[in-house]
């Protein structure tokens, strides 16, 4: 039996771990669901703007949320209470990436990336400037901080440095997600493409253009790249595919469909 979720606002983001699913919505709430018994556990209230991003740190029983209200909240997945509120951005928070249980990166429409402490009273540790458009995706890889912007720019900083190390025009429109695994860096965009980048030369080494609509998100593992798009499909690429199976390493496509909202409970 599938778990159907119906909220007052659209669902922007999700995270899950073990028996729990967390969904962030335009209605400013985060819902906690039991995916074993198909029940609603509780609602995390506190944000006053749409929830734009969620990330779990299961080992530390922590959930982090970003919102249009310009704040980041730290939640306990045990008590479901808000442990801390991080401020500092002057625009809506659009994306987050947890570096550790103590540090989080965040991007905003204020055109900067912030490195913040999750502990109370510490707040912003460092601010990275450079982009001239809203930040749409952010990622930390080793000593690098990487962000994508609404105009397709890809920016790189050294965490210990003072200024932007490099910037490239990566896509024709918004970079919706950045993924990294095993020295492979990928970007996804609303221009319908996914690109792989050489981190040493910052050159594009592969363009994947299988989707027929904006690519909304990607996830990268050691062996696979998974992408989802407004074209209603999820595509899976196998890095270990033999040359005879196709140059784009394409493995499978999962077709999805939009359910009639009136059919939901």
């Amino acid at each position: 039996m599938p778990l159907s979720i119906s909220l007052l606002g659209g669902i922007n983001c999700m995270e899950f771990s073990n028996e729990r699913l967390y969904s962030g919505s335009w209605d400013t709430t985060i819902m906690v669901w039991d995916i074993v018994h198909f029940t609603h556990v509780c609602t995390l209230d506190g944000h006053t703007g749409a929830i734009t991003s969620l990330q779990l740190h299961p080992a530390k029983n922590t959930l982090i949320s970003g919102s249009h209200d310009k704040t980041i909240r730290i939640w306990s997945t045990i008590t479901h209470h808000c442990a801390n509120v991080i401020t500092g951005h002057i625009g809506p928070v659009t994306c987050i990436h947890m570096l550790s249980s103590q540090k989080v990166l965040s991007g905003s429409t204020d055109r900067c990336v912030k490195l913040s402490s999750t502990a109370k009273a510490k707040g912003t540790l460092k601010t990275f400037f450079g982009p001239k458009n809203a930040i749409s995706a952010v990622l930390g890889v080793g000593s690098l901080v990487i962000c994508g912007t609404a105009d397709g720019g890809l920016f790189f900083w050294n965490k210990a440095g003072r200024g932007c190390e490099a910037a490239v025009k990566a896509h024709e429109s918004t970079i919706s997600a950045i993924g990294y695994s095993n020295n492979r860096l990928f970007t996804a965009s609303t221009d319908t493409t996914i690109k792989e980048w050489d981190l040493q030369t910052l050159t594009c080494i592969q363009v994947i253009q299988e989707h027929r609509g904006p690519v909304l998100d990607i996830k990268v593992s050691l062996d696979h790249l998974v992408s989802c798009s407004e074209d209603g499909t999820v595509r899976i690429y196998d890095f270990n595919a033999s040359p005879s199976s196709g140059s784009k390493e394409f493995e499978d496509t999962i077709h999805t469909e939009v359910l009639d909202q009136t059919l939901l409970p």
Side-chain angles (χ1 to χ4, degrees), residues 54-76:
L54 294 172
Q55 190 171 1
L56 275 170
H57 194 303
K60 298 296 181 180
N61 301 315
T62 299
L63 175 72
I64 296 185
S65 58
S67 169
H68 277 179
D69 66 11
K70 308 174 188 177
T71 70
I72 300 163
R73 285 181 175 258
I74 314 298
W75 308 86
S76 166

Side-chain angles (χ1 to χ4, degrees), residues 4 24 35 45 58 64 74 96 200 205-206 249 253:
S4 295
I35 56 178
D45 290 306
I64 296 185
I74 314 298
I96 56 175
Q200 299 299 317
I205 58 177
Q206 181 179 190
E249 301 172 309
T253 302

Side-chain angles (χ1 to χ4, degrees), residues 32 45 50 54 71 89 102 106 118 134 136 145 163 172 198 205 229 241:
V32 184
D45 290 306
L54 294 172
T71 70
H89 282 293
Q102 290 83 35
S106 57
T118 60
S136 52
V145 173
E172 295 304 313
D198 184 322
I205 58 177
S229 166

Side-chain angles (χ1 to χ4, degrees), residues 35-52:
I35 56 178
V36 174
H37 299 96
F38 309 112
T39 56
H40 171 235
V41 177
C42 67
T43 301
L44 306 184
D45 290 306
H47 281 297
T48 57
I51 312 300
T52 57

Side-chain angles (χ1 to χ4, degrees), residues 95-107:
C95 49
I96 56 175
H97 177 71
M98 196 183 307
L99 296 177
S100 68
S101 60
Q102 290 83 35
K103 294 180 180 179
V104 61
L105 288 169
S106 57

Side-chain angles (χ1 to χ4, degrees), residues 201-217:
T201 63
L202 299 185
T203 55
C204 178
I205 58 177
Q206 181 179 190
V207 179
I208 302 172
Q209 195 164 12
E210 295 288 342
H211 283 292
R212 297 183 179 180
V215 183
L216 302 179
D217 199 7

